[in-house]
Amino acid sequence: MHLGIALPFGDIGGDGPTVREYAQLAEAEGYDGLSLADHVLGGNPANPKSGRGGGLGLFHDPFVAFGFIAACTEKVELSTQVLILAQRQTVLVAKQAASLDLLSGGRFRFGIGVGWNEMEFVGLDENFHNRGKRSEEQVQVMKALWADPYITFEGKWHRVPDAGITPLPPRRRIPLWFGGHMDVTLQRIAKWGDGWIMLSEPPGPKALAEFDKLRRLVEAEGRDPASIGIEVWTSTGTGAEKDWREDISFWKKAGVTHITLHNTFRGYHHKRMAGRSMADHIDSMRRYRNAVADLL
């Protein structure tokens, strides 16, 4: 089982020395991956119109931050969880991802999603209302660009006239994982994806039912369900060592392949940890891995 950790820059800060220290320490403690979320714009929290998008806090650009981290680390995986694909230019994202994958030695796992923060789409001059369907075509364009030096693509939203990106990713592909919980998301994973980042369900029968649904969809696409990874998030904000071990044992038996310690996320059933200092986060990362290491 792959154990990752989310980088808590909103708590500990995001200057170069802090980013380097935390990333290197997580790798030294035995974590297999580092993850970053993605927001370009956050609204003014004093403005009621900002709604949920107000005061989002510190979010580095994932490609810039992971480029820095790739040079500070040796083997830890780098994953976006998730980058909002439809608010960006597709060909540019494909090139950024390929460059990061090459410079990191093939360590990039690309988690993507459709997003919820409409003000970001407005600010980036992209259409919020067709983002789901448009992202499907984006995935096809990116996969084609990574696979071949030159492509010709004619779609509803994209036109590539016998052109390509350089450099190409070393494996001519980059693992694409999808976040989201609608049935249409599972259908996209079954058709194009390498894995699902599932956040909405705690350990229990509803999660198992969702996993089974995904596997049936994958089979319907003529693909092997065992080839599709499943990731969940956890936190030291709930329970203690005994509870963490029970949860990870459940997930492992359910076929989950990746688990990420995300101590600052508060959506769905998740609760953040109480502390916010660097010392708090270091203690938490050590406690969690020590508690579950023999179960991975």
Side-chain angles (χ1 to χ4, degrees):
M1 202 175 197
H2 178 285
L3 177 62
I5 190 167
L7 294 162
F9 296 148
D11 279 4
I12 66 175
D15 60 86
T18 299
V19 172
R20 180 173 55 249
E21 179 185 358
Y22 192 88
Q24 290 177 340
L25 183 57
E27 183 174 58
E29 289 292 325
Y31 282 84
D32 303 305
L34 305 173
S35 70
L36 279 174
D38 169 43
H39 282 293
V40 177
L41 289 175
N44 184 345
N47 184 348
K49 292 183 179 180
S50 294
R52 182 183 168 196
L56 288 175
L58 191 160
F59 287 86
H60 273 306
D61 177 87
F63 291 120
V64 175
F66 276 148
F68 177 84
I69 292 169
C72 299
T73 56
E74 296 180 359
K75 60 183 180 180
V76 71
E77 180 193 75
L78 313 171
S79 63
T80 50
Q81 296 188 18
V82 293
L83 183 129
I84 310 306
L85 183 59
Q87 65 187 21
R88 288 173 165 82
Q89 295 172 302
T90 310
V91 174
L92 179 58
V93 172
K95 187 178 182 71
Q96 290 171 316
S99 295
L100 174 58
D101 194 52
L102 176 62
L103 291 170
S104 67
R107 289 190 275 153
F108 183 43
R109 177 165 59 101
F110 197 4
I112 59 173
V114 298
W116 54 265
N117 190 5
E118 187 170 358
M119 71 175 64
E120 292 184 291
F121 285 78
V122 172
L124 291 163
D125 196 26
E126 296 290 352
N127 189 336
F128 179 76
H129 301 287
N130 66 9
R131 67 195 190 281
K133 284 293 184 183
R134 189 157 45 83
S135 71
E136 294 181 3
E137 190 171 289
Q138 288 183 286
V139 166
Q140 296 172 67
V141 173
M142 291 194 306
K143 289 170 77 76
L145 285 167
W146 293 331
D148 295 305
Y150 303 102
I151 70 165
T152 296
F153 188 97
E154 294 281 350
K156 184 173 182 180
W157 293 285
H158 299 83
R159 180 174 178 269
V160 182
D162 194 19
I165 61 171
T166 303
L168 294 173
R171 296 161 291 180
R172 299 297 189 267
R173 61 182 300 276
I174 294 173
L176 274 175
W177 287 51
F178 289 68
H181 308 96
M182 304 293 287
D183 284 350
V184 67
T185 300
L186 301 187
Q187 292 162 5
R188 290 167 184 152
I189 297 166
K191 194 167 187 176
W192 295 296
D194 297 291
W196 181 25
I197 303 167
M198 196 286 292
L199 309 183
S200 62
E201 303 297 338
K206 288 186 69 176
L208 297 179
E210 289 298 297
F211 297 161
D212 287 342
K213 183 192 298 182
L214 174 61
R215 291 171 184 133
R216 291 195 301 270
L217 290 169
V218 172
E219 287 177 340
E221 290 290 337
R223 303 175 66 196
D224 180 5
S227 69
I228 305 299
I230 298 175
E231 177 159 5
V232 298
W233 289 0
T234 191
S235 169
T236 59
T238 302
E241 278 79 352
K242 177 178 179 292
D243 307 290
W244 307 338
R245 289 178 62 83
E246 289 176 356
D247 283 356
I248 204 169
S249 295
F250 176 92
W251 289 129
K252 190 171 184 178
K253 186 176 179 181
V256 168
T257 57
H258 293 60
I259 189 161
T260 289
L261 181 63
H262 201 312
N263 280 320
T264 62
F265 183 63
R266 291 179 289 189
Y268 304 104
H269 58 284
H270 302 270
K271 295 182 181 179
R272 65 157 292 133
M273 60 180 272
R276 295 175 180 265
S277 69
M278 174 70 92
D280 291 329
H281 278 281
I282 291 172
D283 178 66
S284 174
M285 82 157 73
R286 285 175 171 159
R287 280 184 64 205
Y288 186 81
R289 193 179 187 285
N290 288 339
V292 304
D294 64 305
L295 301 175
L296 297 173

